[in-house]
Amino acid sequence: MSATGGVVRRSLLDDLATSMLALIAERKLAPGDQFEAVRSLAERFKVAVPTVREALRRLEATGAVELRHGSGVYVGPNVGRLVLANPLALAPSPDRLVELLQARALIEPPVAALAAQTRAEVALEQMAKDLDTAAELIASGDHAQLAEVNMDFHRSLAQASGNATLAEVVESVTVVNAREQLEILHIHGDRQADLDEHRAIYDAVRSGDADLAELLTREHLDGVLAVINERLQHP
Amino acid sequence: MSATGGVVRRSLLDDLATSMLALIAERKLAPGDQFEAVRSLAERFKVAVPTVREALRRLEATGAVELRHGSGVYVGPNVGRLVLANPLALAPSPDRLVELLQARALIEPPVAALAAQTRAEVALEQMAKDLDTAAELIASGDHAQLAEVNMDFHRSLAQASGNATLAEVVESVTVVNAREQLEILHIHGDRQADLDEHRAIYDAVRSGDADLAELLTREHLDGVLAVINERLQHP
DNA sequence: ACATGAAAATGATCAGATCACTTGGTCATT
DNA sequence: AATGACCAAGTGATCTGATCATTTTCATGT
């Protein structure tokens, strides 16, 4: 039932999209680089402008390119990524949110353990920065930004594992409830405790204690999950 | 640096895309259902046809809708998904492939453990079916199909966990190396051993032995990983 | 009943035009 | 010399309207 089966009759759009990706690869363009004007692309591939735009929209949907009004077409941040968060996902239901956190509680602890073994330096520094930023934001009371940075910490942690695929998975799973995280934060109340837990995880990873890093991460996420579950039953 | 920051000036296209998704949700349409004609949508939202098409292309990119020439617009298989495999991803490099398998070896064992606790019945039956199909394919020697079904088994296993998000993660991570899996299978050689390991995992899950299920899954994936690593060094 | 083929519905693509935003430079003011 | 207002070119965004290609439907004839 899962077989992709037989012939894939590539449409004009498929060809266009892959050709443009190939063009990006061929020119060795990196995320952020400017690509090429829509009209220019239309001429290059001998197709009409709307057709080019449709192909670009497809690429844009997964973050392979970006279209900036008045400026140009640029290479997006997700070129070459394997796993990504559905950019069209609507706000998850409460049930789905719990599921999401359960998934995180299952995945992230072993990732933290791996991070403690690998300790990719750049990511470690990023974690430290995230912690500092979080401390500032707690002081200034900017909760929206704080929720963002807290998610960043988890992403940096995954980066420290040195495994890009794992980092992508964690990123995907964290990006979804970024907005929900704000409310969670609001509910949770004790932002300082959150920060302390993050700090403890950081220390464990920095010192290379894999077991401790795994344990602390698990407790941290289980804690969040417990708060959510309780809150869902007493709204 | 990752903050989305401040004002989000939603473009016409953003609105269109989300409106159409909302429309699908509102009508309670399921994957496979017919949606609405392009011209009709254009009229409904008071925009031009090319604009509707661009929005549809964006939705199509993530599998939220499908456009079938001459037939109509249909709801795609990925509506409501949170995490998915990048449909534009090109074949991963050997390094990336190893990373991918490491990620799987980290994620899937605890998922198997959870599956042994939850034991969602439908998924268990699917696992059994996958095993039967695999046995037939080994007999008939259809390796391409076999690789597919083997991946299906892992996906069904994740489904049995009862956590849709985890299932999506595992699906995303397995779909990527579906093609590579063929070569792995070819290298691995002993397809019967693979099947036996899958059967053992199934039995453990079926009997509710979480620890055993986790252990067997870990050994299974580590085994595959070991073979790949060795093969990469002696090509 | 069944097969055939025309007609309708629908997506795919094209062409050209106009509007809106960004960017870089010019030039007057300070 | 530095600053700020303004203008013009480049570029994406959207529209209008038409034509081609594929699928589906259904009346028709055997």
Side-chain angles (χ1 to χ4, degrees):
Chain A
M1 206 56 72
S2 75
T4 46
V7 200
V8 266
R9 182 169 31 82
R10 301 179 58 76
S11 81
L12 176 55
L13 225 77
D14 292 327
D15 292 336
L16 252 187
T18 47
S19 294
M20 295 197 294
L21 274 185
L23 202 56
I24 289 175
E26 189 181 317
R27 294 180 185 172
K28 302 198 196 313
L29 296 180
D33 291 348
Q34 187 160 8
F35 184 33
E36 193 173 322
V38 172
R39 291 168 176 81
S40 168
L41 287 168
E43 192 177 353
R44 170 188 299 277
F45 292 110
K46 307 291 181 200
V47 296
V49 169
T51 310
V52 171
R53 291 183 61 81
E54 283 189 31
L56 284 174
R57 287 300 179 195
R58 174 183 289 187
L59 300 187
E60 184 203 41
T62 57
V65 302
E66 280 178 15
L67 283 77
R68 303 185 197 158
H69 194 170
S71 179
V73 182
Y74 296 79
V75 178
N78 296 158
V79 207
R81 257 185 89 153
L82 297 182
V83 175
L84 40 84
N86 188 349
L88 303 162
L90 21 82
S93 65
D95 284 355
R96 205 79 167 75
L97 183 57
V98 169
E99 254 191 7
L100 194 57
L101 279 168
Q102 281 174 336
R104 290 187 55 197
L106 199 93
I107 293 174
E108 294 190 41
V111 172
L114 181 57
Q117 291 170 356
T118 309
R119 285 185 283 178
E121 189 51 32
V122 221
L124 288 185
E125 287 168 13
Q126 187 58 49
M127 288 170 73
K129 274 187 198 165
D130 291 339
L131 290 175
D132 289 346
T133 312
E136 292 172 15
L137 290 174
I138 288 179
S140 72
D142 186 342
H143 296 171
Q145 288 285 348
L146 178 56
E148 268 299 330
V149 173
N150 278 344
M151 290 295 97
D152 282 342
F153 176 82
H154 284 266
R155 290 175 199 136
S156 302
L157 172 59
Q159 294 276 357
S161 75
N163 185 314
T165 306
L166 280 175
E168 288 177 7
V169 167
V170 170
E171 202 270 346
S172 302
V173 153
T174 51
V175 80
V176 176
N177 63 350
R179 198 157 295 164
E180 281 66 25
Q181 199 68 23
L182 208 170
E183 302 177 28
I184 291 172
L185 196 72
H186 199 256
I187 292 168
H188 197 319
D190 200 345
R191 300 167 249 292
Q192 186 62 45
D194 250 15
L195 177 57
D196 291 342
E197 290 176 16
H198 281 180
R199 280 214 174 101
I201 293 172
Y202 170 73
D203 289 340
V205 170
R206 173 62 92 179
S207 69
D209 191 336
D211 289 341
L212 184 58
E214 178 165 0
L215 180 67
L216 291 175
T217 305
R218 179 165 288 121
E219 286 179 349
H220 172 58
L221 287 171
D222 281 345
V224 178
L225 189 54
V227 173
I228 300 302
N229 265 324
E230 189 181 345
R231 183 58 59 149
L232 281 179
Q233 285 160 357
H234 312 288
Chain B
M1 204 57 72
S2 78
T4 46
V7 200
V8 266
R9 184 171 28 82
R10 300 180 58 77
S11 81
L12 177 55
L13 225 79
D14 292 328
D15 292 336
L16 252 186
T18 47
S19 295
M20 294 197 297
L21 277 183
L23 201 56
I24 290 176
E26 187 182 319
R27 294 180 184 173
K28 303 197 194 314
L29 296 180
D33 290 349
Q34 186 159 9
F35 183 33
E36 192 173 323
V38 172
R39 291 168 177 81
S40 167
L41 287 169
E43 191 177 353
R44 169 187 300 276
F45 293 109
K46 307 292 182 198
V47 295
V49 169
T51 310
V52 171
R53 290 183 63 79
E54 283 189 31
L56 284 174
R57 286 301 181 196
R58 174 185 288 187
L59 299 188
E60 184 201 42
T62 57
V65 303
E66 280 179 14
L67 284 77
R68 302 185 198 157
H69 193 170
S71 179
V73 181
Y74 295 80
V75 178
N78 293 39
V79 206
R81 259 185 87 153
L82 295 183
V83 42
L84 39 84
N86 187 349
L88 301 163
L90 20 83
S93 64
D95 284 355
R96 204 80 168 74
L97 183 57
V98 170
E99 255 191 6
L100 195 57
L101 280 168
Q102 282 173 335
R104 290 187 56 196
L106 199 93
I107 293 174
E108 294 191 39
V111 172
L114 181 57
Q117 291 167 357
T118 309
R119 285 184 284 178
E121 189 51 33
V122 220
L124 287 186
E125 287 168 12
Q126 187 58 50
M127 287 171 72
K129 274 188 199 166
D130 291 339
L131 289 175
D132 288 346
T133 312
E136 292 172 14
L137 290 173
I138 288 179
S140 73
D142 186 341
H143 296 170
Q145 288 286 350
L146 178 56
E148 267 300 329
V149 174
N150 279 343
M151 290 295 96
D152 282 343
F153 176 81
H154 284 266
R155 290 175 198 135
S156 303
L157 173 58
Q159 294 275 358
S161 75
N163 185 312
T165 307
L166 280 175
E168 289 176 8
V169 167
V170 169
E171 202 269 348
S172 302
V173 151
T174 51
V175 79
V176 176
N177 63 351
R179 199 157 295 164
E180 281 67 24
Q181 199 68 22
L182 209 169
E183 301 176 27
I184 291 172
L185 195 73
H186 198 256
I187 291 167
H188 196 319
D190 199 344
R191 299 166 253 290
Q192 187 61 46
D194 250 16
L195 177 58
D196 290 342
E197 290 175 16
H198 281 180
R199 280 213 174 102
I201 293 173
Y202 170 73
D203 289 339
V205 170
R206 172 61 91 180
S207 68
D209 191 335
D211 289 340
L212 183 59
E214 178 165 2
L215 180 68
L216 290 175
T217 305
R218 179 165 289 121
E219 285 179 349
H220 173 57
L221 287 171
D222 282 345
V224 177
L225 190 53
V227 172
I228 300 303
N229 266 323
E230 189 181 345
R231 184 58 59 149
L232 281 179
Q233 284 161 359
H234 313 287

